[in-house]
Amino acid sequence: MTYLIRPMTPQDLPACLELWCDTEGVVLREESDSPEALTRFLARNPGLSFVAMDQGAMVGSILCGHDGRRAQLYHLAVRSEQRRTRCATALLEAALQALAAEGITRCNAYIRVRNLAARGFWSSAGATLRRDIDVMTLAVGTRPAGRSGIS
């Protein structure tokens, strides 16, 4: 199957959010996946996130950004009826080509530990599971006074 793969725009976000909500294993966070936050993300990372269109309907998407050193891939999702048609692979390749054009040589994909389907996809795409690091998250702006570690 052939898809039109094109850069994601803020106008695509309602359809993306619907897709992500309908996709098992995709976790959305209110503070980082609101339309406003996603619009800022797209503005900061122009031309790195993509959607897949089939006959005018969005059937897949990938959210991608980088910090100048490493890239992060989020929310790769394809409608269930479009899976196993290489749509996800086409989206991933578009993101990787855009990253390469910006000189980014490595990227990380975030998946839930128990999401075996996602783990299988990323392994088949050549990704390796890192076992040497853990991810730790800090909430910004909610740290108690006196806990900054700065004197």
Side-chain angles (χ1 to χ4, degrees), residues 31 137-148:
E31 68 279 359
T137 303
L138 289 171
V140 176
T142 60
R143 295 178 51 80
R147 299 280 313 251
S148 69

Side-chain angles (χ1 to χ4, degrees), residues 17 22 25 36 38 41 44 54 72 84 89 92 96 127 144 148:
L17 286 163
D22 291 344
E36 298 78 20
L38 291 166
F41 183 88
R44 187 180 188 289
D54 182 32
Q72 313 304 322
R84 303 231 175 255
T89 301
L92 175 59
L96 293 176
S148 69

Side-chain angles (χ1 to χ4, degrees), residues 59-116:
V59 296
S61 66
I62 187 168
L63 192 62
C64 177
H66 71 80
D67 60 10
R69 184 171 177 263
R70 296 284 183 260
Q72 313 304 322
L73 299 171
Y74 309 93
H75 303 342
L76 173 58
V78 174
R79 294 231 176 263
S80 59
E81 63 273 11
Q82 302 287 335
R83 293 194 186 139
R84 303 231 175 255
T85 63
R86 304 203 42 85
C87 182
T89 301
L91 287 163
L92 175 59
E93 287 302 318
L96 293 176
Q97 287 175 13
L99 290 169
E102 294 203 17
I104 304 299
T105 60
R106 292 177 60 115
C107 65
N108 300 306
Y110 291 95
I111 61 171
R112 303 288 290 184
V113 171
R114 291 186 180 93
N115 190 340
L116 299 180

